[in-house]
PDB file of all heavy atoms in Angstrom:
ATOM      1  N   ASP A  97       7.617  10.108 -10.394  1.00 93.00           N
ATOM      2  CA  ASP A  97       7.777   9.515 -11.703  1.00 93.00           C
ATOM      3  C   ASP A  97       6.464   9.088 -12.428  1.00 93.00           C
ATOM      4  O   ASP A  97       6.496   8.829 -13.694  1.00 93.00           O
ATOM      5  CB  ASP A  97       8.706   8.374 -11.542  1.00 93.00           C
ATOM      6  CG  ASP A  97       8.190   7.313 -10.795  1.00 93.00           C
ATOM      7  OD1 ASP A  97       7.564   7.493  -9.750  1.00 93.00           O
ATOM      8  OD2 ASP A  97       8.432   6.134 -10.976  1.00 93.00           O
ATOM      9  N   LEU A  98       5.407   9.029 -11.757  1.00 94.00           N
ATOM     10  CA  LEU A  98       4.160   8.727 -12.431  1.00 94.00           C
ATOM     11  C   LEU A  98       3.597   9.902 -13.167  1.00 94.00           C
ATOM     12  O   LEU A  98       3.657  11.159 -12.668  1.00 94.00           O
ATOM     13  CB  LEU A  98       2.982   8.313 -11.457  1.00 94.00           C
ATOM     14  CG  LEU A  98       3.168   6.998 -10.755  1.00 94.00           C
ATOM     15  CD1 LEU A  98       2.117   6.752  -9.862  1.00 94.00           C
ATOM     16  CD2 LEU A  98       3.131   5.890 -11.771  1.00 94.00           C
ATOM     17  N   PRO A  99       2.909   9.801 -14.407  1.00 93.00           N
ATOM     18  CA  PRO A  99       2.346  10.940 -15.069  1.00 93.00           C
ATOM     19  C   PRO A  99       1.257  11.556 -14.160  1.00 93.00           C
ATOM     20  O   PRO A  99       0.533  10.701 -13.510  1.00 93.00           O
ATOM     21  CB  PRO A  99       1.788  10.254 -16.345  1.00 93.00           C
ATOM     22  CG  PRO A  99       2.531   8.958 -16.472  1.00 93.00           C
ATOM     23  CD  PRO A  99       2.799   8.558 -15.163  1.00 93.00           C
ATOM     24  N   GLU A 100       1.197  12.792 -14.157  1.00 92.00           N
ATOM     25  CA  GLU A 100       0.166  13.474 -13.210  1.00 92.00           C
ATOM     26  C   GLU A 100      -1.256  13.018 -13.467  1.00 92.00           C
ATOM     27  O   GLU A 100      -1.924  12.698 -12.414  1.00 92.00           O
ATOM     28  CB  GLU A 100       0.148  14.927 -13.490  1.00 92.00           C
ATOM     29  CG  GLU A 100      -0.731  15.803 -12.500  1.00 92.00           C
ATOM     30  CD  GLU A 100      -0.425  15.553 -11.056  1.00 92.00           C
ATOM     31  OE1 GLU A 100       0.802  15.336 -10.714  1.00 92.00           O
ATOM     32  OE2 GLU A 100      -1.382  15.703 -10.249  1.00 92.00           O
ATOM     33  N   PRO A 101      -1.706  12.736 -14.706  1.00 93.00           N
ATOM     34  CA  PRO A 101      -3.110  12.301 -14.707  1.00 93.00           C
ATOM     35  C   PRO A 101      -3.358  10.857 -14.110  1.00 93.00           C
ATOM     36  O   PRO A 101      -4.354  10.559 -13.603  1.00 93.00           O
ATOM     37  CB  PRO A 101      -3.383  12.253 -16.329  1.00 93.00           C
ATOM     38  CG  PRO A 101      -2.394  13.208 -16.795  1.00 93.00           C
ATOM     39  CD  PRO A 101      -1.234  13.209 -16.004  1.00 93.00           C
ATOM     40  N   VAL A 102      -2.355   9.992 -14.355  1.00 94.00           N
ATOM     41  CA  VAL A 102      -2.405   8.695 -13.761  1.00 94.00           C
ATOM     42  C   VAL A 102      -2.310   8.731 -12.216  1.00 94.00           C
ATOM     43  O   VAL A 102      -3.147   8.076 -11.575  1.00 94.00           O
ATOM     44  CB  VAL A 102      -1.147   7.715 -14.261  1.00 94.00           C
ATOM     45  CG1 VAL A 102      -1.060   6.386 -13.543  1.00 94.00           C
ATOM     46  CG2 VAL A 102      -1.259   7.597 -15.847  1.00 94.00           C
ATOM     47  N   LEU A 103      -1.618   9.610 -11.641  1.00 94.00           N
ATOM     48  CA  LEU A 103      -1.413   9.721 -10.179  1.00 94.00           C
ATOM     49  C   LEU A 103      -2.784  10.282  -9.616  1.00 94.00           C
ATOM     50  O   LEU A 103      -3.291   9.787  -8.773  1.00 94.00           O
ATOM     51  CB  LEU A 103      -0.176  10.573  -9.735  1.00 94.00           C
ATOM     52  CG  LEU A 103      -0.136  10.818  -8.316  1.00 94.00           C
ATOM     53  CD1 LEU A 103       0.036   9.396  -7.572  1.00 94.00           C
ATOM     54  CD2 LEU A 103       1.152  11.651  -8.047  1.00 94.00           C
ATOM     55  N   GLU A 104      -3.256  11.215 -10.304  1.00 93.00           N
ATOM     56  CA  GLU A 104      -4.488  11.863  -9.802  1.00 93.00           C
ATOM     57  C   GLU A 104      -5.659  10.823  -9.803  1.00 93.00           C
ATOM     58  O   GLU A 104      -6.464  10.745  -8.922  1.00 93.00           O
ATOM     59  CB  GLU A 104      -4.912  13.010 -10.789  1.00 93.00           C
ATOM     60  CG  GLU A 104      -6.120  13.784 -10.145  1.00 93.00           C
ATOM     61  CD  GLU A 104      -5.929  14.309  -8.725  1.00 93.00           C
ATOM     62  OE1 GLU A 104      -4.787  14.775  -8.313  1.00 93.00           O
ATOM     63  OE2 GLU A 104      -6.901  14.349  -8.053  1.00 93.00           O
ATOM     64  N   GLN A 105      -5.776  10.047 -10.970  1.00 94.00           N
ATOM     65  CA  GLN A 105      -6.754   9.000 -11.124  1.00 94.00           C
ATOM     66  C   GLN A 105      -6.546   7.969  -9.884  1.00 94.00           C
ATOM     67  O   GLN A 105      -7.554   7.495  -9.333  1.00 94.00           O
ATOM     68  CB  GLN A 105      -6.694   8.257 -12.372  1.00 94.00           C
ATOM     69  CG  GLN A 105      -7.824   7.260 -12.749  1.00 94.00           C
ATOM     70  CD  GLN A 105      -7.727   6.741 -14.109  1.00 94.00           C
ATOM     71  OE1 GLN A 105      -6.621   6.293 -14.444  1.00 94.00           O
ATOM     72  NE2 GLN A 105      -8.683   6.913 -14.787  1.00 94.00           N
ATOM     73  N   ARG A 106      -5.328   7.507  -9.691  1.00 94.00           N
ATOM     74  CA  ARG A 106      -5.184   6.554  -8.563  1.00 94.00           C
ATOM     75  C   ARG A 106      -5.381   7.090  -7.152  1.00 94.00           C
ATOM     76  O   ARG A 106      -5.999   6.429  -6.345  1.00 94.00           O
ATOM     77  CB  ARG A 106      -3.669   6.095  -8.672  1.00 94.00           C
ATOM     78  CG  ARG A 106      -3.330   5.172  -9.903  1.00 94.00           C
ATOM     79  CD  ARG A 106      -1.945   4.757  -9.822  1.00 94.00           C
ATOM     80  NE  ARG A 106      -1.641   3.965 -11.059  1.00 94.00           N
ATOM     81  CZ  ARG A 106      -0.558   3.277 -11.370  1.00 94.00           C
ATOM     82  NH1 ARG A 106       0.297   3.280 -10.422  1.00 94.00           N
ATOM     83  NH2 ARG A 106      -0.410   2.614 -12.513  1.00 94.00           N
ATOM     84  N   LEU A 107      -5.169   8.412  -6.976  1.00 94.00           N
ATOM     85  CA  LEU A 107      -5.566   8.985  -5.698  1.00 94.00           C
ATOM     86  C   LEU A 107      -7.051   9.051  -5.593  1.00 94.00           C
ATOM     87  O   LEU A 107      -7.546   9.010  -4.394  1.00 94.00           O
ATOM     88  CB  LEU A 107      -4.885  10.404  -5.614  1.00 94.00           C
ATOM     89  CG  LEU A 107      -3.278  10.390  -5.465  1.00 94.00           C
ATOM     90  CD1 LEU A 107      -2.831  11.871  -5.498  1.00 94.00           C
ATOM     91  CD2 LEU A 107      -3.030   9.799  -4.063  1.00 94.00           C
ATOM     92  N   ARG A 108      -7.740   9.414  -6.647  1.00 93.00           N
ATOM     93  CA  ARG A 108      -9.244   9.340  -6.517  1.00 93.00           C
ATOM     94  C   ARG A 108      -9.741   7.990  -6.192  1.00 93.00           C
ATOM     95  O   ARG A 108     -10.648   7.805  -5.340  1.00 93.00           O
ATOM     96  CB  ARG A 108      -9.856   9.926  -7.771  1.00 93.00           C
ATOM     97  CG  ARG A 108      -9.933  11.329  -7.926  1.00 93.00           C
ATOM     98  CD  ARG A 108     -10.742  11.879  -9.063  1.00 93.00           C
ATOM     99  NE  ARG A 108     -10.566  11.156 -10.341  1.00 93.00           N
ATOM    100  CZ  ARG A 108      -9.744  11.539 -11.209  1.00 93.00           C
ATOM    101  NH1 ARG A 108      -9.008  12.649 -11.165  1.00 93.00           N
ATOM    102  NH2 ARG A 108      -9.752  10.840 -12.445  1.00 93.00           N
ATOM    103  N   MET A 109      -9.090   6.918  -6.870  1.00 94.00           N
ATOM    104  CA  MET A 109      -9.588   5.555  -6.518  1.00 94.00           C
ATOM    105  C   MET A 109      -9.179   5.208  -5.072  1.00 94.00           C
ATOM    106  O   MET A 109     -10.011   4.569  -4.367  1.00 94.00           O
ATOM    107  CB  MET A 109      -8.879   4.535  -7.451  1.00 94.00           C
ATOM    108  CG  MET A 109      -9.443   4.664  -8.849  1.00 94.00           C
ATOM    109  SD  MET A 109      -8.761   3.175  -9.937  1.00 94.00           S
ATOM    110  CE  MET A 109      -7.181   4.049 -10.334  1.00 94.00           C
ATOM    111  N   LEU A 110      -8.141   5.654  -4.588  1.00 93.00           N
ATOM    112  CA  LEU A 110      -7.726   5.470  -3.216  1.00 93.00           C
ATOM    113  C   LEU A 110      -8.722   5.951  -2.301  1.00 93.00           C
ATOM    114  O   LEU A 110      -9.102   5.232  -1.295  1.00 93.00           O
ATOM    115  CB  LEU A 110      -6.402   6.076  -2.903  1.00 93.00           C
ATOM    116  CG  LEU A 110      -5.884   6.156  -1.452  1.00 93.00           C
ATOM    117  CD1 LEU A 110      -5.797   4.680  -0.848  1.00 93.00           C
ATOM    118  CD2 LEU A 110      -4.633   6.887  -1.328  1.00 93.00           C
ATOM    119  N   GLY A 111      -9.162   7.156  -2.531  1.00 91.00           N
ATOM    120  CA  GLY A 111     -10.254   7.654  -1.466  1.00 91.00           C
ATOM    121  C   GLY A 111     -11.513   6.906  -1.617  1.00 91.00           C
ATOM    122  O   GLY A 111     -12.041   6.620  -0.534  1.00 91.00           O
ATOM    123  N   LEU A 112     -11.928   6.522  -2.787  1.00 95.00           N
ATOM    124  CA  LEU A 112     -13.085   5.602  -2.685  1.00 95.00           C
ATOM    125  C   LEU A 112     -12.861   4.299  -2.126  1.00 95.00           C
ATOM    126  O   LEU A 112     -13.772   3.871  -1.314  1.00 95.00           O
ATOM    127  CB  LEU A 112     -13.546   5.448  -4.281  1.00 95.00           C
ATOM    128  CG  LEU A 112     -14.018   6.686  -4.957  1.00 95.00           C
ATOM    129  CD1 LEU A 112     -14.131   6.431  -6.482  1.00 95.00           C
ATOM    130  CD2 LEU A 112     -15.373   7.111  -4.451  1.00 95.00           C
ATOM    131  N   VAL A 113     -11.853   3.604  -2.399  1.00 94.00           N
ATOM    132  CA  VAL A 113     -11.503   2.353  -1.802  1.00 94.00           C
ATOM    133  C   VAL A 113     -11.519   2.383  -0.318  1.00 94.00           C
ATOM    134  O   VAL A 113     -11.933   1.617   0.429  1.00 94.00           O
ATOM    135  CB  VAL A 113     -10.267   1.726  -2.440  1.00 94.00           C
ATOM    136  CG1 VAL A 113      -9.803   0.463  -1.652  1.00 94.00           C
ATOM    137  CG2 VAL A 113     -10.440   1.316  -3.838  1.00 94.00           C
ATOM    138  N   LEU A 114     -10.795   3.476   0.218  1.00 92.00           N
ATOM    139  CA  LEU A 114     -10.690   3.588   1.648  1.00 92.00           C
ATOM    140  C   LEU A 114     -12.132   3.799   2.388  1.00 92.00           C
ATOM    141  O   LEU A 114     -12.389   3.013   3.285  1.00 92.00           O
ATOM    142  CB  LEU A 114      -9.716   4.893   1.950  1.00 92.00           C
ATOM    143  CG  LEU A 114      -9.760   5.202   3.527  1.00 92.00           C
ATOM    144  CD1 LEU A 114      -9.234   4.146   4.346  1.00 92.00           C
ATOM    145  CD2 LEU A 114      -8.855   6.469   3.657  1.00 92.00           C
ATOM    146  N   VAL A 115     -12.782   4.660   1.731  1.00 93.00           N
ATOM    147  CA  VAL A 115     -14.203   4.856   2.430  1.00 93.00           C
ATOM    148  C   VAL A 115     -15.123   3.639   2.431  1.00 93.00           C
ATOM    149  O   VAL A 115     -15.701   3.302   3.250  1.00 93.00           O
ATOM    150  CB  VAL A 115     -14.817   6.063   1.660  1.00 93.00           C
ATOM    151  CG1 VAL A 115     -16.390   6.152   2.113  1.00 93.00           C
ATOM    152  CG2 VAL A 115     -14.138   7.453   2.047  1.00 93.00           C
ATOM    153  N   HIS A 116     -15.103   2.973   1.129  1.00 94.00           N
ATOM    154  CA  HIS A 116     -15.950   1.753   1.000  1.00 94.00           C
ATOM    155  C   HIS A 116     -15.481   0.760   1.895  1.00 94.00           C
ATOM    156  O   HIS A 116     -16.237  -0.072   2.430  1.00 94.00           O
ATOM    157  CB  HIS A 116     -16.020   1.395  -0.330  1.00 94.00           C
ATOM    158  CG  HIS A 116     -17.052   2.309  -1.242  1.00 94.00           C
ATOM    159  ND1 HIS A 116     -18.338   2.339  -1.195  1.00 94.00           N
ATOM    160  CD2 HIS A 116     -16.627   3.437  -1.927  1.00 94.00           C
ATOM    161  CE1 HIS A 116     -18.866   3.170  -1.868  1.00 94.00           C
ATOM    162  NE2 HIS A 116     -17.842   3.949  -2.360  1.00 94.00           N
ATOM    163  N   THR A 117     -14.105   0.454   1.965  1.00 92.00           N
ATOM    164  CA  THR A 117     -13.516  -0.670   2.794  1.00 92.00           C
ATOM    165  C   THR A 117     -13.864  -0.297   4.249  1.00 92.00           C
ATOM    166  O   THR A 117     -14.333  -1.267   4.979  1.00 92.00           O
ATOM    167  CB  THR A 117     -12.023  -0.756   2.520  1.00 92.00           C
ATOM    168  OG1 THR A 117     -11.781  -0.947   1.272  1.00 92.00           O
ATOM    169  CG2 THR A 117     -11.458  -1.900   3.358  1.00 92.00           C
ATOM    170  N   ALA A 118     -13.670   0.802   4.719  1.00 87.00           N
ATOM    171  CA  ALA A 118     -13.910   1.128   6.170  1.00 87.00           C
ATOM    172  C   ALA A 118     -15.403   0.978   6.436  1.00 87.00           C
ATOM    173  O   ALA A 118     -15.640   0.350   7.570  1.00 87.00           O
ATOM    174  CB  ALA A 118     -13.422   2.509   6.481  1.00 87.00           C
ATOM    175  N   ALA A 119     -16.235   1.456   5.651  1.00 91.00           N
ATOM    176  CA  ALA A 119     -17.733   1.336   5.839  1.00 91.00           C
ATOM    177  C   ALA A 119     -18.075  -0.149   5.841  1.00 91.00           C
ATOM    178  O   ALA A 119     -18.969  -0.501   6.572  1.00 91.00           O
ATOM    179  CB  ALA A 119     -18.467   2.160   4.698  1.00 91.00           C
ATOM    180  N   ASP A 120     -17.479  -0.825   4.949  1.00 91.00           N
ATOM    181  CA  ASP A 120     -17.848  -2.381   4.907  1.00 91.00           C
ATOM    182  C   ASP A 120     -17.448  -3.044   6.177  1.00 91.00           C
ATOM    183  O   ASP A 120     -18.306  -3.803   6.699  1.00 91.00           O
ATOM    184  CB  ASP A 120     -17.327  -2.963   3.759  1.00 91.00           C
ATOM    185  CG  ASP A 120     -17.703  -4.393   3.577  1.00 91.00           C
ATOM    186  OD1 ASP A 120     -18.865  -4.645   3.368  1.00 91.00           O
ATOM    187  OD2 ASP A 120     -16.671  -5.352   3.449  1.00 91.00           O
ATOM    188  N   HIS A 121     -16.347  -2.831   6.691  1.00 85.00           N
ATOM    189  CA  HIS A 121     -15.770  -3.419   7.900  1.00 85.00           C
ATOM    190  C   HIS A 121     -16.688  -2.907   9.142  1.00 85.00           C
ATOM    191  O   HIS A 121     -17.089  -3.674   9.912  1.00 85.00           O
ATOM    192  CB  HIS A 121     -14.392  -3.168   8.174  1.00 85.00           C
ATOM    193  CG  HIS A 121     -13.589  -4.064   7.211  1.00 85.00           C
ATOM    194  ND1 HIS A 121     -13.315  -5.361   7.430  1.00 85.00           N
ATOM    195  CD2 HIS A 121     -12.911  -3.662   6.134  1.00 85.00           C
ATOM    196  CE1 HIS A 121     -12.564  -5.817   6.495  1.00 85.00           C
ATOM    197  NE2 HIS A 121     -12.261  -4.847   5.694  1.00 85.00           N
ATOM    198  N   GLU A 122     -17.027  -1.631   9.109  1.00 85.00           N
ATOM    199  CA  GLU A 122     -17.909  -1.251  10.170  1.00 85.00           C
ATOM    200  C   GLU A 122     -19.352  -1.828  10.074  1.00 85.00           C
ATOM    201  O   GLU A 122     -19.868  -2.103  11.202  1.00 85.00           O
ATOM    202  CB  GLU A 122     -18.114   0.297  10.116  1.00 85.00           C
ATOM    203  CG  GLU A 122     -18.732   0.918  11.262  1.00 85.00           C
ATOM    204  CD  GLU A 122     -18.648   2.416  11.376  1.00 85.00           C
ATOM    205  OE1 GLU A 122     -17.517   2.889  11.079  1.00 85.00           O
ATOM    206  OE2 GLU A 122     -19.601   2.997  11.780  1.00 85.00           O
ATOM    207  N   ARG A 123     -19.867  -1.893   9.053  1.00 89.00           N
ATOM    208  CA  ARG A 123     -21.102  -2.469   8.734  1.00 89.00           C
ATOM    209  C   ARG A 123     -21.268  -3.942   9.298  1.00 89.00           C
ATOM    210  O   ARG A 123     -22.229  -4.385   9.838  1.00 89.00           O
ATOM    211  CB  ARG A 123     -21.610  -2.395   7.312  1.00 89.00           C
ATOM    212  CG  ARG A 123     -22.938  -2.987   6.959  1.00 89.00           C
ATOM    213  CD  ARG A 123     -23.244  -2.961   5.495  1.00 89.00           C
ATOM    214  NE  ARG A 123     -22.267  -3.637   4.610  1.00 89.00           N
ATOM    215  CZ  ARG A 123     -22.065  -4.994   4.518  1.00 89.00           C
ATOM    216  NH1 ARG A 123     -22.915  -5.748   5.145  1.00 89.00           N
ATOM    217  NH2 ARG A 123     -21.139  -5.497   3.677  1.00 89.00           N
ATOM    218  N   ARG A 124     -20.124  -4.624   9.011  1.00 85.00           N
ATOM    219  CA  ARG A 124     -20.063  -6.090   9.447  1.00 85.00           C
ATOM    220  C   ARG A 124     -19.660  -6.169  10.781  1.00 85.00           C
ATOM    221  O   ARG A 124     -19.651  -7.361  11.276  1.00 85.00           O
ATOM    222  CB  ARG A 124     -19.087  -6.848   8.511  1.00 85.00           C
ATOM    223  CG  ARG A 124     -19.602  -6.945   7.049  1.00 85.00           C
ATOM    224  CD  ARG A 124     -18.729  -7.837   6.175  1.00 85.00           C
ATOM    225  NE  ARG A 124     -17.498  -7.203   6.000  1.00 85.00           N
ATOM    226  CZ  ARG A 124     -16.221  -7.977   5.744  1.00 85.00           C
ATOM    227  NH1 ARG A 124     -16.345  -9.242   5.799  1.00 85.00           N
ATOM    228  NH2 ARG A 124     -15.238  -7.475   5.701  1.00 85.00           N
ATOM    229  N   GLY A 125     -19.422  -5.098  11.492  1.00 82.00           N
ATOM    230  CA  GLY A 125     -18.950  -5.267  12.896  1.00 82.00           C
ATOM    231  C   GLY A 125     -17.582  -5.712  13.009  1.00 82.00           C
ATOM    232  O   GLY A 125     -17.193  -6.354  14.120  1.00 82.00           O
ATOM    233  N   ASP A 126     -16.718  -5.528  12.037  1.00 73.00           N
ATOM    234  CA  ASP A 126     -15.361  -6.043  12.102  1.00 73.00           C
ATOM    235  C   ASP A 126     -14.369  -5.158  12.944  1.00 73.00           C
ATOM    236  O   ASP A 126     -13.244  -5.272  12.920  1.00 73.00           O
ATOM    237  CB  ASP A 126     -14.758  -6.205  10.669  1.00 73.00           C
ATOM    238  CG  ASP A 126     -15.242  -7.326   9.998  1.00 73.00           C
ATOM    239  OD1 ASP A 126     -16.038  -8.226  10.493  1.00 73.00           O
ATOM    240  OD2 ASP A 126     -15.050  -7.431   8.759  1.00 73.00           O
ATOM    241  N   THR A 127     -14.884  -4.026  13.500  1.00 70.00           N
ATOM    242  CA  THR A 127     -14.033  -3.107  14.149  1.00 70.00           C
ATOM    243  C   THR A 127     -14.106  -3.459  15.640  1.00 70.00           C
ATOM    244  O   THR A 127     -15.087  -3.871  16.288  1.00 70.00           O
ATOM    245  CB  THR A 127     -14.648  -1.670  14.008  1.00 70.00           C
ATOM    246  OG1 THR A 127     -15.934  -1.595  14.448  1.00 70.00           O
ATOM    247  CG2 THR A 127     -14.500  -1.284  12.540  1.00 70.00           C
ATOM    248  N   SER A 128     -13.046  -3.336  16.270  1.00 72.00           N
ATOM    249  CA  SER A 128     -12.898  -3.571  17.774  1.00 72.00           C
ATOM    250  C   SER A 128     -12.386  -2.211  18.289  1.00 72.00           C
ATOM    251  O   SER A 128     -11.237  -1.736  18.056  1.00 72.00           O
ATOM    252  CB  SER A 128     -11.932  -4.708  18.046  1.00 72.00           C
ATOM    253  OG  SER A 128     -12.452  -5.863  17.519  1.00 72.00           O
ATOM    254  N   PRO A 129     -13.056  -1.735  19.351  1.00 73.00           N
ATOM    255  CA  PRO A 129     -12.528  -0.478  19.968  1.00 73.00           C
ATOM    256  C   PRO A 129     -11.220  -0.738  20.587  1.00 73.00           C
ATOM    257  O   PRO A 129     -10.978  -1.751  21.224  1.00 73.00           O
ATOM    258  CB  PRO A 129     -13.669  -0.204  21.074  1.00 73.00           C
ATOM    259  CG  PRO A 129     -14.881  -0.927  20.679  1.00 73.00           C
ATOM    260  CD  PRO A 129     -14.442  -2.121  19.835  1.00 73.00           C
ATOM    261  N   GLY A 130     -10.318   0.161  20.460  1.00 74.00           N
ATOM    262  CA  GLY A 130      -8.966   0.080  20.969  1.00 74.00           C
ATOM    263  C   GLY A 130      -7.976  -0.704  20.247  1.00 74.00           C
ATOM    264  O   GLY A 130      -6.825  -0.711  20.484  1.00 74.00           O
ATOM    265  N   GLU A 131      -8.551  -1.391  19.160  1.00 75.00           N
ATOM    266  CA  GLU A 131      -7.569  -2.099  18.353  1.00 75.00           C
ATOM    267  C   GLU A 131      -6.805  -1.191  17.491  1.00 75.00           C
ATOM    268  O   GLU A 131      -7.443  -0.445  16.650  1.00 75.00           O
ATOM    269  CB  GLU A 131      -8.388  -3.160  17.432  1.00 75.00           C
ATOM    270  CG  GLU A 131      -7.588  -4.026  16.711  1.00 75.00           C
ATOM    271  CD  GLU A 131      -8.449  -4.990  15.800  1.00 75.00           C
ATOM    272  OE1 GLU A 131      -9.574  -4.644  15.482  1.00 75.00           O
ATOM    273  OE2 GLU A 131      -7.947  -6.022  15.421  1.00 75.00           O
ATOM    274  N   ASP A 132      -5.558  -1.078  17.611  1.00 79.00           N
ATOM    275  CA  ASP A 132      -4.753  -0.161  16.800  1.00 79.00           C
ATOM    276  C   ASP A 132      -3.532  -0.820  16.117  1.00 79.00           C
ATOM    277  O   ASP A 132      -2.627  -1.164  16.765  1.00 79.00           O
ATOM    278  CB  ASP A 132      -4.243   0.950  17.725  1.00 79.00           C
ATOM    279  CG  ASP A 132      -3.666   2.117  17.040  1.00 79.00           C
ATOM    280  OD1 ASP A 132      -4.071   2.382  15.919  1.00 79.00           O
ATOM    281  OD2 ASP A 132      -2.831   2.904  17.621  1.00 79.00           O
ATOM    282  N   PRO A 133      -3.501  -0.903  14.857  1.00 81.00           N
ATOM    283  CA  PRO A 133      -4.495  -0.562  13.842  1.00 81.00           C
ATOM    284  C   PRO A 133      -5.601  -1.695  13.806  1.00 81.00           C
ATOM    285  O   PRO A 133      -5.337  -2.811  14.260  1.00 81.00           O
ATOM    286  CB  PRO A 133      -3.789  -0.408  12.629  1.00 81.00           C
ATOM    287  CG  PRO A 133      -2.595  -1.371  12.713  1.00 81.00           C
ATOM    288  CD  PRO A 133      -2.264  -1.365  14.302  1.00 81.00           C
ATOM    289  N   PRO A 134      -6.773  -1.432  13.189  1.00 81.00           N
ATOM    290  CA  PRO A 134      -7.593  -2.393  13.067  1.00 81.00           C
ATOM    291  C   PRO A 134      -7.086  -3.571  12.228  1.00 81.00           C
ATOM    292  O   PRO A 134      -6.216  -3.348  11.253  1.00 81.00           O
ATOM    293  CB  PRO A 134      -8.831  -1.783  12.226  1.00 81.00           C
ATOM    294  CG  PRO A 134      -8.636  -0.281  12.331  1.00 81.00           C
ATOM    295  CD  PRO A 134      -7.240  -0.126  12.699  1.00 81.00           C
ATOM    296  N   ALA A 135      -7.620  -4.778  12.463  1.00 81.00           N
ATOM    297  CA  ALA A 135      -6.966  -5.848  11.690  1.00 81.00           C
ATOM    298  C   ALA A 135      -7.059  -5.820  10.192  1.00 81.00           C
ATOM    299  O   ALA A 135      -6.112  -6.347   9.511  1.00 81.00           O
ATOM    300  CB  ALA A 135      -7.784  -7.155  12.151  1.00 81.00           C
ATOM    301  N   TRP A 136      -7.985  -5.256   9.668  1.00 85.00           N
ATOM    302  CA  TRP A 136      -8.104  -5.043   8.168  1.00 85.00           C
ATOM    303  C   TRP A 136      -7.204  -3.893   7.661  1.00 85.00           C
ATOM    304  O   TRP A 136      -7.025  -3.983   6.479  1.00 85.00           O
ATOM    305  CB  TRP A 136      -9.610  -4.764   7.804  1.00 85.00           C
ATOM    306  CG  TRP A 136     -10.151  -3.479   8.266  1.00 85.00           C
ATOM    307  CD1 TRP A 136     -10.846  -3.272   9.576  1.00 85.00           C
ATOM    308  CD2 TRP A 136      -9.952  -2.171   7.830  1.00 85.00           C
ATOM    309  NE1 TRP A 136     -11.130  -2.015   9.775  1.00 85.00           N
ATOM    310  CE2 TRP A 136     -10.603  -1.242   8.678  1.00 85.00           C
ATOM    311  CE3 TRP A 136      -9.328  -1.583   6.675  1.00 85.00           C
ATOM    312  CZ2 TRP A 136     -10.703   0.080   8.477  1.00 85.00           C
ATOM    313  CZ3 TRP A 136      -9.390  -0.272   6.465  1.00 85.00           C
ATOM    314  CH2 TRP A 136     -10.142   0.681   7.322  1.00 85.00           C
ATOM    315  N   ALA A 137      -6.621  -3.129   8.495  1.00 87.00           N
ATOM    316  CA  ALA A 137      -5.759  -2.056   8.001  1.00 87.00           C
ATOM    317  C   ALA A 137      -4.466  -2.467   7.420  1.00 87.00           C
ATOM    318  O   ALA A 137      -4.042  -1.822   6.407  1.00 87.00           O
ATOM    319  CB  ALA A 137      -5.534  -0.990   9.136  1.00 87.00           C
ATOM    320  N   VAL A 138      -3.852  -3.478   7.987  1.00 90.00           N
ATOM    321  CA  VAL A 138      -2.630  -3.918   7.428  1.00 90.00           C
ATOM    322  C   VAL A 138      -2.651  -4.309   5.946  1.00 90.00           C
ATOM    323  O   VAL A 138      -1.934  -3.959   5.155  1.00 90.00           O
ATOM    324  CB  VAL A 138      -1.875  -4.921   8.412  1.00 90.00           C
ATOM    325  CG1 VAL A 138      -0.556  -5.442   7.723  1.00 90.00           C
ATOM    326  CG2 VAL A 138      -1.507  -4.177   9.681  1.00 90.00           C
ATOM    327  N   PRO A 139      -3.609  -5.429   5.746  1.00 92.00           N
ATOM    328  CA  PRO A 139      -3.720  -5.786   4.296  1.00 92.00           C
ATOM    329  C   PRO A 139      -4.152  -4.694   3.422  1.00 92.00           C
ATOM    330  O   PRO A 139      -3.937  -4.624   2.160  1.00 92.00           O
ATOM    331  CB  PRO A 139      -4.645  -6.965   4.360  1.00 92.00           C
ATOM    332  CG  PRO A 139      -5.183  -6.924   5.625  1.00 92.00           C
ATOM    333  CD  PRO A 139      -4.389  -6.075   6.581  1.00 92.00           C
ATOM    334  N   PHE A 140      -4.952  -3.778   3.903  1.00 92.00           N
ATOM    335  CA  PHE A 140      -5.424  -2.622   3.146  1.00 92.00           C
ATOM    336  C   PHE A 140      -4.208  -1.861   2.729  1.00 92.00           C
ATOM    337  O   PHE A 140      -4.153  -1.317   1.519  1.00 92.00           O
ATOM    338  CB  PHE A 140      -6.501  -1.743   3.935  1.00 92.00           C
ATOM    339  CG  PHE A 140      -6.824  -0.661   3.216  1.00 92.00           C
ATOM    340  CD1 PHE A 140      -7.932  -0.724   2.240  1.00 92.00           C
ATOM    341  CD2 PHE A 140      -6.383   0.707   3.485  1.00 92.00           C
ATOM    342  CE1 PHE A 140      -8.297   0.426   1.528  1.00 92.00           C
ATOM    343  CE2 PHE A 140      -6.752   1.736   2.828  1.00 92.00           C
ATOM    344  CZ  PHE A 140      -7.833   1.637   1.797  1.00 92.00           C
TER     345      PHE A 140
END
């Protein structure tokens, strides 16, 4: 139901937010091996 240009813009933002959020948590050491899903994933 979303207009195609709006959806495309939101999907581009999603990609950027995902990469930057994951990189930020990794940089800060917020990742724990074997933690599935990572603690930050649910609010994300």
Side-chain angles (χ1 to χ4, degrees):
D97 58 322
L98 288 178
E100 183 61 28
V102 171
L103 180 56
E104 188 56 39
Q105 186 176 49
R106 290 181 184 188
L107 288 173
R108 280 195 310 273
M109 285 189 276
L110 168 60
L112 291 171
V113 170
L114 172 60
V115 168
H116 287 279
T117 301
D120 183 56
H121 284 284
E122 186 170 322
R123 179 186 53 79
R124 291 188 293 150
D126 289 350
T127 57
S128 299
E131 185 182 24
D132 189 29
W136 60 267
V138 174
F140 177 80

